[in-house]
């Protein structure tokens, strides 16, 4: 934006390296978000980054946008090694980002948003901006009403303004993070056409999505990420030769298939017992922010593990919360051992033996500043034997906690240590111990191994297997297909708040692909 | 009561409104800037008080009211620097730190004043006035409006300057973005921390100047705790003004008028109890808040520390 009239970054030749990652690793507390990823984005290409939520796409965007720096490895711009330490550094390197959640100030006008970030004493002349915007309107069909209040525009229009801003800055690399998630199908097609146009002008466009058909239709090159790792690439020459069906199948294989045979340690299925948990035509309320559950019906039998697979954010959390009594249900019923739970409270459900292990260990599952001991009885505050006549019995709580620590092999200096000081895996053990205390009949797990290291994952899975073998019923919600194939007897696939299908887990190598196809659905439904 | 509306009464009322209103105006303008940038500056009372103390001390020591004003600005900025460090850089709770700074400044200035002057309260010579020729000769209004210390005119000029700054320059834009959606400013290449720090320091300077005006011009004397909530009224003004400097001016004159009415009524010898009269300015605050408080639209990110990449 320094000089609107002049190009700061002459566009590199098509096919030249625009920006890249070299052996980049980025860790967050308890999670390796990006694990040794290398990729190169070329000028004149629409490069699709494809992957499920949690695959590391957003972290890569964050690093390219200067919001985070890699822990290991480095970034390149124009083939040379760079450090992008701030968003302004990234902009100066010619990289503009359109974030998933818009980054315009709603209370400013469009013009004001366009010139935001310039030096304070200077404001680019309005006439100049108008001229450049007119060009963009002509060349790319961007609709930019300069005097409109930004917050009053539709999300699609706001996105066009962000793209216009990137072009005003003469960026050479344009990142579009989940750019179609807020758009109508027509809007998405329009954006796709615009991406092709921009790439045609020599820009490098990075398009992040989890929709396979968009990846095929808009992309030149597709890189697939899986749990923070680079899972494979479909180069342009290959992509062009494929039909949409073939390409989507290829992507499904990259996203879901490891190519290896079934996990060796798969749990042996035993004869199912009586139905413990029955969910019938369950519905919850939805809104702009939360997906509604629509007619969910499930059955979990004694000694059985029912897996729920799905791309993150398709209603898994709502399902778990509705079962646990944390989210009101609008229709349908939940039966525990044949009794309708109706409007039973969280505590009542827990008392009757329905236990829920949240995926949100830190904020929902535990109170970080409290000692381990108090966290073990967090769901029984005021109840005997840990409280008598309203008074806390610290001795009993501590003894109970020590017991749990040794049973579940929690690595902690002691029961008085604040639980927030423990690692994710050890917090998970404490929570698991808490949920299994007493008469647990049905245990609902939501992403139980998310963010844990390998050792803790193995231990957690072993524990879940034991719970089922003890004759309890387990509902295992997970985004990790390997985990589901290893543990579940049957796997239900949830898509947009509905159960799209339930598969008997035969443990074969075909399972992943069968689940994957259900998850992305047929082409129309997926986009 | 009919003898209340004399020339002398009206003149002293108007004079009082301006004298009492200027510190409120300065505090309100200062607070307005930091609120625009997203920092709720509760410490402004402390900044004012420290400005009053240091402003008086410098003016007294060097026998110069002008140096005193510079001292006041410096004093306010010192407290503001702490606010910027704790609340902008380190992202601590703005309310807690603000209250802490206010209480700290109250204690510290009282202690220092006692240490130096013990129980005496030395007085500055009567302030210079800048009589604007001709205008001063207008009856009642003339002497009240146009026979004032130059700082009064500076403060009034600041209202215009701030209005232009907010409306015409990119600084105004940057401030608003920092208060509404700091992440958006950050990814647009702006510098959130710097703009917020600058805004807090400006608040300190304005509050310090207002404090020094109270001590050096309005009172001619420093008394511990003398700001008496003027900074807090400044916060109210900034909130009610919804980002518009001219509204701060209007509000400052109304509250200044209420404050001066307390004096004027006592001078006029009305038989309303003194306690009721002294309650007036605060009753006015409550009334205005009840009437217009719901319409106050505060920046979306007001009071929230910014951390890059936090979700």
């Amino acid at each position: 934006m320094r000089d609107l009239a002049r190009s700061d970054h002459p566009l590199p030749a098509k096919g030249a390296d625009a920006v890249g990652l070299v052996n980049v690793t980025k860790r967050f507390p308890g999670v390796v978000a990006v694990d040794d990823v290398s990729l190169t984005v070329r000028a004149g290409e629409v490069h699709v980054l494809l992957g499920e939520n949690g695959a590391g796409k957003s972290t890569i965007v964050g690093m390219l946008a200067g919001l985070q720096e890699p822990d290991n490895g480095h970034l390149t711009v124009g083939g040379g090694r760079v450090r992008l330490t701030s968003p302004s550094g990234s902009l100066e390197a010619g990289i503009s980002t359109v974030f998933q959640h818009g980054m315009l100030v709603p209370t400013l006008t469009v013009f004001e948003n366009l010139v935001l970030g310039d030096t304070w004493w200077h404001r680019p002349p309005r006439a100049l901006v108008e001229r450049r915007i007119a060009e963009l309107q002509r060349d790319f069909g961007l609709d930019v009403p300069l005097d409109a209040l930004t917050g009053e525009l539709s999300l699609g229009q706001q996105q066009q303004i962000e793209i216009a801003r990137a072009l005003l800055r003469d960026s050479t690399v344009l990142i579009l993070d989940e750019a179609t998630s807020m758009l109508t199908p027509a809007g998405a097609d329009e954006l796709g056409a615009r991406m092709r146009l921009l790439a045609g002008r020599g820009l490098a466009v990075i398009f992040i999505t989890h929709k396979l058909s968009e990846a095929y239709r808009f992309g030149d090159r597709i890189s697939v990420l899986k749990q923070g790792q680079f899972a494979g690439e479909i180069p342009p020459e290959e992509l062009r030769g494929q039909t949409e069906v073939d390409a989507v199948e290829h992507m499904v294989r990259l996203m879901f298939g490891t190519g290896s045979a079934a996990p060796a340690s798969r749990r042996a299925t035993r004869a199912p017992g009586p139905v413990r948990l029955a969910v019938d035509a369950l519905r919850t309320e939805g809104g702009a922010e939360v997906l509604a559950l629509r007619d969910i019906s499930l059955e979990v039998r004694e000694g059985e593990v029912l897996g729920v697979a799905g791309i993150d954010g398709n209603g898994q959390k709502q399902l778990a919360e509705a079962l646990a009594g944390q989210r009101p249900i609008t229709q349908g019923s939940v039966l525990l051992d044949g009794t309708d739970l109706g409007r039973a409270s969280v505590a009542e459900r827990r008392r009757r033996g329905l236990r829920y292990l949240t995926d949100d260990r830190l904020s929902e599952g535990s109170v970080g500043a409290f000692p381990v001991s108090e966290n073990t009885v967090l769901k029984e505050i005021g109840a005997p034997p840990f409280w008598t006549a309203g008074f806390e019995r610290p001795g009993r709580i501590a003894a109970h906690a020590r017991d749990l620590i040794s049973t579940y092999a929690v690595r902690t200096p002691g029961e008085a240590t604040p639980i927030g000081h423990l690692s994710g895996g050890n917090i998970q053990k404490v929570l698991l111990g808490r949920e299994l205390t007493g008469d647990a009949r049905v245990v609902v797990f939501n992403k139980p191994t998310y963010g844990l290291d390998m050792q803790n994952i193995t231990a957690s899975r072993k524990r879940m297997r034991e719970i089922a073998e003890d004759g309890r019923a387990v509902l295992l919600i997970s985004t990790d297909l390997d985990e589901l194939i290893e543990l579940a007897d049957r796997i239900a696939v949830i898509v947009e708040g509905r159960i799209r299908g339930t598969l008997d887990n035969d443990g074969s190598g075909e399972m992943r692909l069968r689940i994957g196809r259900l998850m992305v659905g047929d082409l129309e439904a997926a986009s | 009561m009919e003898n209340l509306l004399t020339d002398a009464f009206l003149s002293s009322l108007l004079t009082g409104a301006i004298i009492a209103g200027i510190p409120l105006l300065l505090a309100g303008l200062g607070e307005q800037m930091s609120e625009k940038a997203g920092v709720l500056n509760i410490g402004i009372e402390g900044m004012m008080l420290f400005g009053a103390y240091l402003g008086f001390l410098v003016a007294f020591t060097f026998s110069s009211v002008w140096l005193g004003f510079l001292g006041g600005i410096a004093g306010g900025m010192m407290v503001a620097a702490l606010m910027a460090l704790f609340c902008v850089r380190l992202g601590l709770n703005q309310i807690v730190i603000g209250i802490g700074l206010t209480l700290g400044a109250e204690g510290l200035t009282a202690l220092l004043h006692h240490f130096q002057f013990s129980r005496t309260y030395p007085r500055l010579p009567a302030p210079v006035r800048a009589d604007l020729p001709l205008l001063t000769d207008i009856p009642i209004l003339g002497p009240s409006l146009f026979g004032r210390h130059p700082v009064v005119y500076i403060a009034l000029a600041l209202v215009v300057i701030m209005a232009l700054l907010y409306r015409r320059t990119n600084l105004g834009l940057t401030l608003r973005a920092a208060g509404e959606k700091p992440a958006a400013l950050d990814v647009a290449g702006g510098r959130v921390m710097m703009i917020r720090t600058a805004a807090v320091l400006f608040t300190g300077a304005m509050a310090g100047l207002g404090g020094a005006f109270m001590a050096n011009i309005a009172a001619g004397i420093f008394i511990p705790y003398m700001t008496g909530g003027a900074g807090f009224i400044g916060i109210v003004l900034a909130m009610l003004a919804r980002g518009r400097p001219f509204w701060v001016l209007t509000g400052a004159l109304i509250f200044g008028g209420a404050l001066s009415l307390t004096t004027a009524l006592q001078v006029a010898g009305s038989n309303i109890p003194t306690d009721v009269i002294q309650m007036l300015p605060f009753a006015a605050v409550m009334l205005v808040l009840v009437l217009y408080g719901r319409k106050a639209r505060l920046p979306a990110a007001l009071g929230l520390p910014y951390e890059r990449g936090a979700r």
Side-chain angles (χ1 to χ4, degrees), chain A residues 2-14:
Chain A
R2 262 115 226 115
D3 266 302
L4 284 168
R6 179 174 59 84
S7 212
D8 279 330
H9 309 281
L11 289 172
K14 282 193 188 179

Side-chain angles (χ1 to χ4, degrees), chain B residues 84-102:
Chain B
L85 172 68
F86 288 127
C87 297
V88 179
R89 299 279 149 177
L90 302 178
L92 302 183
N93 186 306
Q94 296 172 5
I95 293 174
V96 173
I97 296 297
I99 292 174
L101 288 178
T102 295

Side-chain angles (χ1 to χ4, degrees), chain A residues 66-68 85-88 91 99 102-108 112 115-120 122-123 165 169, chain B residues 165-171 173-174 176-177 180-181 183-191 297 306 308-309 311:
Chain A
L67 292 171
Q68 290 136 6
T85 55
S86 70
S88 52
L91 290 170
F99 288 89
M103 278 296 181
L104 298 173
V105 183
T107 51
L108 298 184
E112 288 172 329
V115 299
L116 190 64
D118 207 334
T119 44
W120 69 266
H122 175 248
R123 183 179 283 198
R165 182 163 73 175
R169 291 176 188 276
Chain B
L165 191 84
Y166 293 147
R167 208 168 303 163
R168 299 288 161 125
T169 69
N170 247 23
L171 177 61
L173 211 57
T174 311
R176 273 156 72 195
E180 289 288 344
K181 200 167 178 181
L185 177 61
D186 196 14
V187 301
R191 294 203 265 172
R297 212 205 73 80
Y306 177 66
R308 179 180 289 165
R311 287 172 208 185

Side-chain angles (χ1 to χ4, degrees), chain A residues 105-110 112-113 145-153 158, chain B residues 176:
Chain A
V105 183
T107 51
L108 298 184
T109 67
V110 170
E112 288 172 329
N113 265 303
L146 283 179
D147 293 309
L149 194 62
T150 310
E152 290 172 359
L153 300 178
Q158 293 194 23
Chain B
R176 273 156 72 195

